[in-house]
Amino acid sequence: MTTQTVTVDLGTRSYPIHIGPGLLNRSELLAPFLQQGRTLVVTNETLAPLYLERVSSLSASSDTLILPDGEKYKTLHTVSTIYDRLLADKFDRNTTLIALGGGVIGDITGFAAATFLRGVNFIQFPTTLLAQVDSSVGGKTGVNHPLGKNMIGAFYQPRCVIADTDVLGSLPERELKAGLAEVIKYALINQAEFLDWLELNRPRLLDRDPGLLSEAIRVSCQQKAEIVAKDEREGGIRAWLNLGHTFGHAIETAMGYGNWLHGEAVAAGMVMASDLSMRLGWLSAADAYRIKKIIRDFGLPVAPPADIEEQQYLDIMLSDKKARAGRINFVLLQGIGKAIVSSEVEPALLGQTLQACNALCEP
Ligand code: NAD
Ligand code: GLY
């Protein structure tokens, strides 16, 4: 299997996403993007014993920082521990920060890179499927606040992304499925034929067929790269990438960070967005059923947890980053492959969706 490269085209800030097996051994992919100065590889205690030595040996002068593992550590306090280390060890403006991990490590390290000395060089080595298809690409960095997901952050693009597909071999099953939720998202927002491909190849993707996983990552990154190149700061179509996220972030916030995985919350959120789209008359019942079926077939939740009240959803969704002037902005579907952003949803219809989806959850 060969290495595939997708480019995020942002003029002078363009960067490559390399995808393929064995990339953790390929120092020549990293070398062009290292500064003259020192490198700090940031990872967590789960990944350190698996991959840290290999990644830190890719650059001549590399220090390492091992953070605790978990969404609950995606906080300003953890970012502060990165600043503490950088300042105590006198890292300067020529520093490169390398994130080795999933979306949590990538988002935290990216935010530290965006803000340390007003911005230092940043490189991503994503290790979850979710990070390889989504979070390592596009420059959204940041941390959670007790009152909302990803509320503190910055747009800050990496100089390059190196997605070694071999590392997916050690990924827990539940994390693999959570990543597949974001892959399904790309099909639903913009690429109907990709949904056919996912339905056809589902068993082999779940079996981690390396060629098919690489192809799913390439297609996903290609789509994200095209959308980000057109709308880096989410003034328009980038919001499509948040399909399922308005409901999903409410689930993650209400349940306590880390109890529902991000991809699981997005999966249930996409079913809820489909239900709402159907109630608006935009999506046929057959398409809404097809969406629910593929999400269920990939082993993902199709209903939210039982414990969230309707008012709690509304309170959290109104503080979503996409909400404006007291109106929730929803990403909805006008068909499979046709996302649309709308703030014109009647509260009564939203209430029906929340009630219908809540009725589906396990007692
Ligand atoms: P994660 O980073 O918590 O990783 C999941 C778990 O898998 C962790 O326990 C991690 O240590 C472990 N792990 C990672 N790679 C592994 C490997 N190869 N082998 C064994 N274990 C491994 O979760 P995630 O799903 O990667 O990321 C979720 C986060 O990403 C959320 O905070 C979400 O908000 C964020 N996100 C950001 C963006 C963005 O555009 N920046 C997009 C989507 C999601
Ligand atoms: N994951 C949504 C985005 O990057 O815009």
Side-chain angles (χ1 to χ4, degrees):
M1 226 181 340
T2 54
T3 306
Q4 311 209 56
T5 302
V6 172
T7 301
V8 183
D9 189 356
L10 289 169
T12 54
R13 291 175 299 118
S14 297
Y15 57 94
I17 308 161
H18 300 298
I19 304 157
L23 305 193
L24 292 195
N25 305 320
R26 303 262 309 268
S27 59
E28 80 281 9
L29 296 179
L30 180 64
F33 303 102
L34 290 175
Q35 303 279 46
Q36 295 303 319
R38 293 159 71 191
T39 301
L40 183 70
V41 184
V42 181
T43 191
N44 70 27
E45 56 209 6
T46 305
L47 290 156
L50 296 171
Y51 306 116
L52 182 55
E53 205 178 309
R54 257 194 285 165
V55 171
S56 53
S57 70
L58 293 178
S59 68
S61 88
S62 199
D63 289 88
T64 60
L65 176 61
I66 301 173
L67 299 175
D69 184 3
E71 181 79 34
K72 69 172 190 276
Y73 297 105
K74 192 175 154 181
T75 58
L76 273 178
H77 177 262
T78 305
V79 175
S80 224
T81 63
I82 303 180
Y83 301 145
D84 292 347
R85 172 63 185 279
L86 290 166
L87 289 167
D89 286 359
K90 303 200 167 25
F91 280 82
D92 63 17
R93 281 214 162 123
N94 284 334
T95 299
T96 296
L97 287 190
I98 294 183
L100 169 67
V104 169
I105 287 291
D107 283 10
I108 296 172
T109 309
F111 187 61
T115 46
F116 179 65
L117 303 180
R118 301 205 176 89
V120 295
N121 200 36
F122 174 45
I123 289 167
Q124 292 257 24
F125 278 80
T127 62
T128 60
L129 181 61
L130 185 139
Q132 296 191 349
V133 299
D134 191 355
S135 64
S136 66
V137 175
K140 280 190 181 173
T141 71
V143 295
N144 300 327
H145 186 277
L147 296 180
K149 268 287 288 179
N150 297 334
M151 282 296 175
I152 321 290
F155 285 99
Y156 196 69
Q157 301 292 342
R159 295 289 312 285
C160 100
V161 178
I162 299 179
D164 184 335
T165 49
D166 286 343
V167 304
L168 300 178
S170 58
L171 194 63
E173 188 76 17
R174 192 175 160 203
E175 301 290 349
L176 180 85
K177 290 176 178 168
L180 286 163
E182 299 279 13
V183 176
I184 295 169
K185 174 188 80 180
Y186 291 108
L188 299 184
I189 60 173
N190 200 25
Q191 207 168 352
E193 64 281 9
F194 188 38
L195 196 70
D196 302 335
W197 186 89
L198 289 170
E199 285 169 338
L200 185 71
N201 292 301
R202 176 179 52 82
R204 288 170 64 199
L205 284 164
L206 286 169
D207 275 350
R208 305 181 197 219
D209 178 292
L212 289 174
L213 276 181
S214 271
E215 180 59 7
I217 296 164
R218 186 195 65 77
V219 173
S220 302
C221 287
Q222 186 66 49
Q223 268 223 45
K224 183 152 184 184
E226 283 169 22
I227 290 173
V228 168
K230 286 186 189 137
D231 179 23
E232 183 184 5
R233 294 282 176 136
E234 202 168 302
I237 62 167
R238 184 162 183 172
W240 294 353
L241 295 170
N242 296 320
L243 177 70
H245 286 56
T246 305
F247 293 109
H249 282 169
I251 294 171
E252 286 184 88
T253 305
M255 295 306 287
Y257 299 132
N259 289 317
W260 269 52
L261 300 183
H262 177 73
E264 293 170 342
V266 166
M270 290 192 295
V271 176
M272 296 168 87
S274 307
D275 181 279
L276 188 52
S277 306
M278 186 181 70
R279 287 174 200 278
L280 283 157
W282 294 348
L283 188 72
S284 68
D287 280 347
Y289 175 75
R290 186 176 170 204
I291 291 168
K292 190 188 287 184
K293 179 170 177 355
I294 189 168
I295 289 173
R296 181 185 289 122
D297 289 350
F298 268 102
L300 287 158
V302 292
D307 348 29
I308 311 175
E309 303 286 335
E310 193 174 323
Q311 191 55 46
Q312 209 179 349
Y313 274 109
L314 297 177
D315 290 345
I316 299 174
M317 291 195 297
L318 275 168
S319 61
D320 186 89
K321 286 189 291 309
K322 293 182 295 306
R324 298 279 181 280
R327 295 195 80 99
I328 304 167
N329 253 320
F330 288 99
V331 185
L332 298 169
L333 295 173
Q334 290 188 317
I336 288 175
K338 284 193 200 141
I340 180 176
V341 180
S342 173
S343 58
E344 303 303 317
V345 173
E346 287 294 322
L349 280 187
L350 175 60
Q352 285 171 23
T353 288
L354 292 174
Q355 280 159 29
C357 293
N358 259 331
L360 289 174
C361 53
E362 302 293 332

